[in-house]
Amino acid sequence: ISKFKEGFCGVCIAQSQKIPREPRPGEFDKIIKRLLETPNARAVIMFANEDDIRRILEAAKKINQSGHFLWIGSDSWGSKISPVYQQEEIAEGAVTILPKRASIDERIARDSSYEQEGKVQFVIDAVYSMAYALHNMHKDLCPGYIGLCPRMSTIDGKELLSYIRAVNFNGSAGTPVTFNENGDAPGRYDIFQYQINNKSTEYKIIGHWTNQLHLNVEDMQWANREHTHPASVCSLPCKPGERKKTVKGVPCCWHCERCEGYNYQVDELTCELCPLDQRPNVNRTGCQLIPIIKLEWHSPWAVVPVFIAILGIIATTFVIVTFVRYNDTPIVRASGRELSYVLLTGIFLCYSITFLMIAAPDTVICSFRRIFLGLGMCFSYAALLTKTNRIHRIFEQGKKSVTAPKFISPASQLVITFSLISLQLLGVFVWFAVDPPHIIIDYGEQRTLDPENARGVLKCDISDLSLICSLGYSILLMVTCTVYAIKTRGVPETFNEAKPIGFTMYTTCIIWLAFIPIFFGTAQSAEKMYIQTTTLTVSMSLSASVSLGMLYMPKVYIIIFHPEQNVQKRKRSFKAVVTAATMQSKLIQKGNGRPNGEVKSELCESLETNTCQSLYATYGRQLC
């Protein structure tokens, strides 16, 4: 029993109940109820006298448990009728044992009908065992001596026991009689099963034990005349992907726990976590590689940005071709041709970055992303910043003196613009040196709670912080340009491009203020790769579209559909420009306390009539 409690030979005991020596009324009912607490453990091995066996069967019959318990009885049950009398159905299928009996043809008298009881053979073998042990001891201790020698007169019991355990002879049944180290003779048993056939009952021999089990399974019969083997387990086997959590002290009883999350079943008792690049298979008995994904061209997240970028590139190309064709016309020249081409290059790059952001990552693509991600915006806002700064300096200088400010020539403007752009390129090259571009597979970005939906994301090794730092310089240029646009907002519309630039920068700031929360707010989303890439590319395309639409489409419209307006105006000297700026300032300062028109008349009296009338129309051309 102690071996079974340890799970010996795959058999263990779910529970053990003791029958009191003097059981009280209802004691056997309690025992049956306790046995039913483990309903899957149906086999009951009973070491009890036949009266207790009968009362156990009665208690089971009382609560109608026929066919539930699988009774296994010791030799105290054997093939006796008294334990199963009037409770045959509850005892059906019981397996019992009896020591194997041999037929001994010995009688008390020749004509007597009395037959010896079957266990007499064991008494005979016991007597012979003692005799052989004494005989062997006498041979060893008293060789050649008749009768007991002095050596055997004071015999030690332990010494005699060693001779008893060493005997080996054929017993009365013709089988060898030996003893093991514990003094036990080899077991020889007949195995019976209590069966009911056609309302008749019998103990049928279904096998025997002689050093090993010999069982005729096909002869066994269970309740309802079934020959299928009934199950008696404390716990049912766990399904694939489930581990056993054993009950303390009961090795054959366990609870099945599913290997959850990214764990898989290593053995029947253990779950382990799959490697980072793997997930459990369908039945969680092993791990398999996590599929790798990237943003595909046919994805809706890519189709929309690509469509916008293609339209933007076509529009930008159309503007560039128009400006090149009408390069020497007044509107193109008045727009500042040099900076216009720089700005249009930046707009073109802003649209083109969409294709690099969606293309399948590799080392070359990752390198181009680093270079051009902020370069297009840098081209655009460096040119606009240079323009707005020039306008601001000219009007500020005009309030103080008639001397033209420094660095307002086209060549100077280009030097300033490319100096600003070179800082962006310098930062990119430092980034290349510190952290060379390469691709990674990010298994954490789409590591969902359900492993079936887990994906590895193939992407460039550019963190969100690195991306914002790359755009940070361009955003700084954008903010500075917006500040200058605000400072020059009071300049008359006919003088320059200050107001269109201002509207462009205000709209661009709104776009990027919306971009930041969307970009960082989706950092924990399973769709992070799609949302962030789409948001970034669309934001850059919208910024480029705002600049293209507000600064160049009106000019292209005039060039193509109203060429009569694309004519040269009268030129004025810088002195006239400065005078106009001074007039503007004084008008603003004095206009609040005078009737309408008085201030303008007063100022115009000191100027030539033609100057006062045409100054506003010509100033913008000189300024640009």
Side-chain angles (χ1 to χ4, degrees):
I1 295 176
S2 60
K3 290 288 186 180
F4 287 158
K5 286 183 177 180
E6 298 173 0
F8 181 72
C9 293
V11 178
C12 62
I13 298 175
Q15 55 175 303
S16 178
Q17 302 294 329
K18 292 183 179 180
I19 300 174
R21 186 179 297 275
E22 296 180 0
R24 291 175 293 181
E27 190 69 39
F28 294 95
D29 296 335
K30 292 180 181 179
I31 292 175
I32 293 298
K33 289 180 180 178
R34 292 193 192 105
L35 293 177
L36 290 173
E37 290 176 358
T38 52
N40 292 325
R42 299 168 57 195
V44 180
I45 303 175
M46 290 190 289
F47 294 92
N49 59 52
E50 58 184 280
D51 185 57
D52 288 340
I53 293 172
R54 180 181 57 78
R55 296 170 72 179
I56 288 282
L57 296 177
E58 284 178 353
K61 181 179 179 181
K62 190 183 299 183
I63 58 174
N64 194 27
Q65 290 298 318
S66 298
H68 176 76
F69 291 110
L70 309 173
W71 309 106
I72 300 175
S74 64
D75 57 352
S76 62
W77 184 341
S79 58
K80 297 175 181 177
I81 300 300
S82 58
V84 298
Y85 180 67
Q86 292 185 345
Q87 42 199 19
E88 291 80 2
E89 289 186 1
I90 200 72
E92 183 181 7
V95 176
T96 64
I97 60 171
L98 271 178
K100 195 173 185 64
R101 301 180 182 185
S103 58
I104 302 176
D105 212 4
E106 295 181 7
R107 299 179 182 273
I108 293 178
R110 180 175 298 178
D111 299 328
S112 174
S113 61
Y114 175 79
E115 291 184 5
Q116 295 288 355
E117 203 261 336
K119 295 182 180 179
V120 169
Q121 70 176 84
F122 303 112
V123 178
I124 296 173
D125 290 341
V127 173
Y128 273 109
S129 297
M130 179 63 74
Y132 276 114
L134 289 172
H135 178 72
N136 293 334
M137 177 182 282
H138 186 269
K139 286 175 59 177
D140 292 342
L141 300 180
C142 306
Y145 195 88
I146 300 175
L148 291 177
C149 65
R151 178 72 178 81
M152 290 186 65
S153 59
T154 55
I155 192 67
D156 184 7
K158 290 185 179 179
E159 190 174 7
L160 177 59
L161 179 62
S162 65
Y163 279 96
I164 293 174
R165 289 183 175 179
V167 299
N168 189 344
F169 63 95
N170 287 330
S172 57
T175 56
V177 175
T178 59
F179 299 96
N180 59 23
E181 65 275 7
N182 297 320
D184 295 325
R188 288 184 290 272
Y189 296 93
D190 284 326
I191 303 174
F192 298 86
Q193 186 181 40
Y194 187 70
Q195 297 182 356
I196 302 176
N197 292 301
N198 299 323
K199 296 184 179 181
S200 63
T201 61
E202 66 170 331
Y203 283 99
K204 183 176 182 179
I205 295 179
I206 57 172
H208 65 274
W209 173 275
T210 305
N211 295 326
Q212 63 180 0
L213 178 64
H214 302 274
L215 189 65
N216 299 320
V217 178
E218 62 275 6
D219 292 337
M220 300 182 75
Q221 180 178 294
W222 308 98
N224 302 322
R225 314 299 182 267
E226 293 181 0
H227 291 269
T228 56
H229 308 313
S232 176
V233 293
C234 181
S235 302
L236 296 174
C238 293
K239 299 177 182 178
E242 295 180 342
R243 74 178 186 94
K244 294 180 180 178
K245 185 178 181 181
T246 57
V247 178
K248 187 176 181 180
V250 189
C252 286
C253 297
W254 59 82
H255 302 295
C256 294
E257 288 187 349
R258 182 172 174 79
C259 298
E260 296 292 345
Y262 288 82
N263 292 286
Y264 72 101
Q265 182 185 5
V266 180
D267 53 45
E268 64 178 12
L269 299 176
T270 311
C271 291
E272 287 187 2
L273 188 66
C274 287
L276 183 62
D277 61 341
Q278 297 181 24
R279 65 181 182 185
N281 56 22
V282 176
N283 57 10
R284 292 183 174 271
T285 55
C287 295
Q288 60 185 11
L289 291 174
I290 295 176
I292 299 173
I293 61 170
K294 57 182 177 62
L295 186 56
E296 302 290 346
W297 291 100
H298 56 78
S299 168
W301 296 98
V303 171
V304 174
V306 168
F307 179 72
I308 295 174
I310 291 175
L311 292 180
I313 289 174
I314 293 173
T316 305
T317 304
F318 178 73
V319 171
I320 293 174
V321 170
T322 302
F323 267 53
V324 170
R325 181 176 179 183
Y326 298 94
N327 189 57
D328 293 324
T329 59
I331 285 184
V332 176
R333 295 173 60 188
S335 298
R337 287 175 296 186
E338 296 78 7
L339 289 183
S340 290
Y341 290 129
V342 174
L343 178 54
L344 288 170
T345 301
I347 292 173
F348 186 89
L349 291 176
C350 285
Y351 286 123
S352 301
I353 192 63
T354 297
F355 300 95
L356 290 176
M357 297 301 294
I358 296 175
D362 57 33
T363 304
V364 175
I365 293 295
C366 293
S367 301
F368 282 136
R369 284 187 187 180
R370 290 191 181 189
I371 295 172
F372 292 105
L373 183 60
L375 191 61
M377 292 177 61
C378 187
F379 263 80
S380 300
Y381 298 125
L384 286 176
L385 176 59
T386 304
K387 274 194 174 187
T388 53
N389 174 264
R390 177 171 177 259
I391 295 170
H392 175 72
R393 288 190 294 114
I394 288 175
F395 277 92
E396 287 298 314
Q397 182 72 15
K399 296 177 183 179
K400 301 174 184 178
S401 66
V402 296
T403 307
K406 298 179 180 179
F407 309 119
I408 62 173
S409 65
S412 301
Q413 297 297 288
L414 288 176
V415 171
I416 294 172
T417 300
F418 283 108
S419 297
L420 295 173
I421 295 172
S422 64
L423 293 178
Q424 170 75 16
L425 292 174
L426 178 62
V428 171
F429 291 139
V430 170
W431 188 10
F432 269 82
V434 173
D435 183 19
H438 58 280
I439 59 174
I440 61 171
I441 301 176
D442 189 349
Y443 291 99
E445 183 173 313
Q446 293 201 21
R447 194 174 179 84
T448 56
L449 293 177
D450 184 3
E452 286 297 314
N453 298 325
R455 297 292 184 271
V457 179
L458 179 65
K459 63 180 184 178
C460 295
D461 187 22
I462 302 177
S463 65
D464 294 346
L465 181 60
S466 300
L467 186 144
I468 294 300
C469 290
S470 178
L471 296 175
Y473 179 65
S474 299
I475 293 175
L476 176 63
L477 294 179
M478 179 182 69
V479 172
T480 307
C481 185
T482 304
V483 172
Y484 276 111
I486 294 172
K487 288 184 176 183
T488 58
R489 68 186 183 280
V491 177
E493 185 176 349
T494 54
F495 273 48
N496 51 72
E497 292 179 305
K499 277 185 169 47
I501 291 176
F503 291 136
T504 299
M505 299 316 302
Y506 306 150
T507 307
T508 303
C509 286
I510 292 173
I511 291 172
W512 287 98
L513 285 174
F515 161 79
I516 292 175
I518 295 175
F519 187 86
F520 288 101
T522 57
Q524 304 301 322
S525 172
E527 304 291 336
K528 172 185 174 182
M529 173 185 67
Y530 305 110
I531 297 175
Q532 289 191 344
T533 303
T534 301
T535 303
L536 177 61
T537 53
V538 170
S539 296
M540 296 188 73
S541 294
L542 290 180
S543 300
S545 299
V546 168
S547 300
L548 188 67
M550 290 190 174
L551 298 178
Y552 291 102
M553 286 306 172
K555 296 179 177 62
V556 172
Y557 177 78
I558 292 174
I559 291 173
I560 295 177
F561 296 104
H562 294 283
E564 70 279 2
Q565 296 182 19
N566 190 10
V567 294
Q568 181 72 43
K569 303 290 185 178
R570 289 178 56 190
K571 291 186 178 181
R572 293 292 175 182
S573 65
F574 184 76
K575 179 179 179 180
V577 173
V578 173
T579 303
T582 305
M583 288 172 58
Q584 174 71 10
S585 177
K586 290 182 178 180
L587 282 169
I588 294 172
Q589 294 173 4
K590 296 182 179 182
N592 294 329
R594 301 285 186 90
N596 292 338
E598 291 185 11
V599 177
K600 182 177 180 180
S601 300
E602 179 182 335
L603 293 173
C604 287
E605 288 177 359
S606 60
L607 298 172
E608 295 179 2
T609 303
N610 292 337
T611 301
C612 189
Q613 292 176 350
S614 62
L615 185 57
Y616 291 102
T618 61
Y619 178 65
R621 306 291 178 250
Q622 292 288 340
L623 187 59
C624 295

